[in-house]
Amino acid sequence: MTQPIAKDAVERLGTFQLAGEADGLALVFSQPLSFWGGIDAETGDIIDHSHPGLGQNVAGRILVMPSGRGSSSSSSVLAEAIRRGTAPAGILLERPDPILAVGAIVAEFLYDIHMPLVVCDIAGIASGDRIAVRVGEQGEAVIHKA
């Protein structure tokens, strides 16, 4: 369900690694998270015992972090989570991540499920912030933070 964005919302632009639109509450980490061994694709729970997000759930959230953290198998875990509906609604990164991009692209191709993957400035976004990702007039990523 799309939530209205407040008139005083902060807006920033980004670059899509994979275009799409999403709404959700932010789940922000200062450390990268690996989907391989870090996320349970059946539930969306973070299962990496060395990650500060252990026990939190990414399903339906806007996952915000500096980057992904290998392994190349993360793409298959992300694609499976997208198929199951346990993946983030969208992912915002400071740096491009080709491994996560492959997972999102595969899910779009195989399952026709779109999950935006955006490279942008993530400063000032906190867990619990309502985030909306939209496609701008020029094809750019427009991120609204209420």
Side-chain angles (χ1 to χ4, degrees):
M1 171 194 246
T2 302
Q3 298 290 325
I5 302 301
K7 290 185 182 197
D8 61 344
V10 174
E11 185 174 288
R12 65 189 74 201
L13 300 178
T15 303
F16 281 113
Q17 282 196 273
L18 187 63
E21 297 192 346
D23 294 280
L25 297 177
L27 182 59
V28 180
F29 297 119
S30 60
Q31 295 179 13
L33 175 65
S34 174
F35 276 70
W36 178 254
I39 299 286
D40 181 342
E42 285 188 31
T43 64
D45 291 339
I46 297 173
I47 57 173
D48 179 348
H49 289 276
S50 67
H51 196 274
L54 177 65
Q56 295 186 56
N57 191 287
V58 301
R61 303 291 294 270
I62 304 296
L63 183 59
V64 181
M65 57 188 177
S67 65
R69 188 185 85 215
S71 136
S72 59
S73 298
S74 286
S75 57
S76 63
V77 176
L78 177 57
E80 178 63 8
I82 291 170
R83 182 186 74 81
R84 289 177 170 269
T86 60
I91 300 176
L92 306 181
L93 303 170
E94 286 181 326
R95 295 182 297 280
D97 188 304
I99 292 169
L100 293 179
V102 166
I105 291 166
V106 166
E108 187 172 297
F109 180 78
L110 291 178
Y111 314 122
D112 196 28
I113 303 172
H114 307 267
M115 187 206 71
L117 182 61
V118 178
V119 177
C120 65
D121 176 14
I122 63 171
I125 301 174
S127 288
D129 287 345
R130 176 146 302 278
I131 302 292
V133 178
R134 299 289 179 261
V135 179
E137 292 180 17
Q138 305 297 316
E140 73 279 16
V142 180
I143 299 93
H144 297 276
K145 177 189 133 187

